[in-house]
């Protein structure tokens, strides 16, 4: 089972999986999103290595296709969308929850 939607094109799934394999977190964002900045600050404070894909810096087709992989047919497309430890986490609220519980840094020990 893929962590991406069933309408995700294989070439985009491979690109995204490649990014996920190189880092602990992947942040799908835009350059004008305050919650995206706050999410990246939380990752930085917890020393969580991440990569970012800014949808508004991609060409329109790539932006749509990455969105299709992340959100599928769901019309509610929001940023940030965060993958953590190669699994979909959700948005800023889910990341903030892990930060508040102190489990964001702790999860690092489980990765070997």
């Amino acid at each position: 089972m893929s962590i991406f939607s069933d309408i995700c094109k294989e070439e985009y799934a491979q690109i995204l999986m490649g990014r996920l394999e190189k880092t602990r977190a992947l942040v799908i964002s835009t350059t004008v999103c305050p919650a995206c900045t706050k999410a990246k600050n939380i990752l930085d404070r917890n020393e969580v290595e991440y990569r970012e894909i800014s949808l508004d810096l991609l060409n329109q087709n790539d932006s749509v296709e990455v969105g299709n992989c992340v959100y599928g047919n769901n019309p509610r497309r929001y940023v940030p969308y965060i993958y953590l430890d190669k699994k979909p986490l959700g948005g800023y609220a889910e990341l903030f929850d892990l930060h508040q519980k102190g489990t964001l840094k702790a999860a690092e020990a489980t990765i070997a």
Side-chain angles (χ1 to χ4, degrees):
M1 184 178 138
S2 174
I3 61 171
F4 305 114
S5 82
D6 50 353
I7 66 168
C8 183
K9 291 182 179 174
E10 183 60 32
E11 63 190 277
Y12 288 91
Q14 289 178 3
I15 291 167
L16 291 170
M17 190 52 78
R19 298 264 174 99
L20 284 170
E21 288 171 354
K22 292 179 180 159
T23 190
R24 184 152 173 240
L26 178 64
V27 179
I28 308 298
S29 68
T30 65
T31 58
V32 294
C33 161
C36 298
T37 301
K38 289 175 15 179
K40 292 181 288 184
N41 287 339
I42 286 176
L43 292 169
D44 287 339
R45 281 199 310 259
N46 286 276
E47 299 174 356
V48 174
E49 181 187 348
Y50 68 90
R51 290 188 179 223
E52 178 180 12
I53 296 175
S54 293
L55 294 175
D56 57 340
L57 295 180
L58 300 176
N59 70 50
Q60 186 175 3
N61 183 63
D62 287 345
S63 180
V64 167
E65 293 300 340
V66 168
N68 287 343
C69 291
V70 174
Y71 308 106
N73 288 319
N74 187 343
R76 183 173 178 260
R77 295 183 172 209
Y78 59 89
V79 289
Y81 192 87
I82 302 158
Y83 290 88
L84 184 66
D85 300 327
K86 299 177 184 56
K87 295 187 282 280
L89 175 65
Y92 173 77
E94 290 82 1
L95 183 68
F96 185 74
D97 188 47
L98 290 180
H99 172 65
Q100 288 292 96
K101 291 177 180 171
T103 56
L104 198 52
K105 263 190 180 178
E108 191 172 9
T110 64
I111 300 174

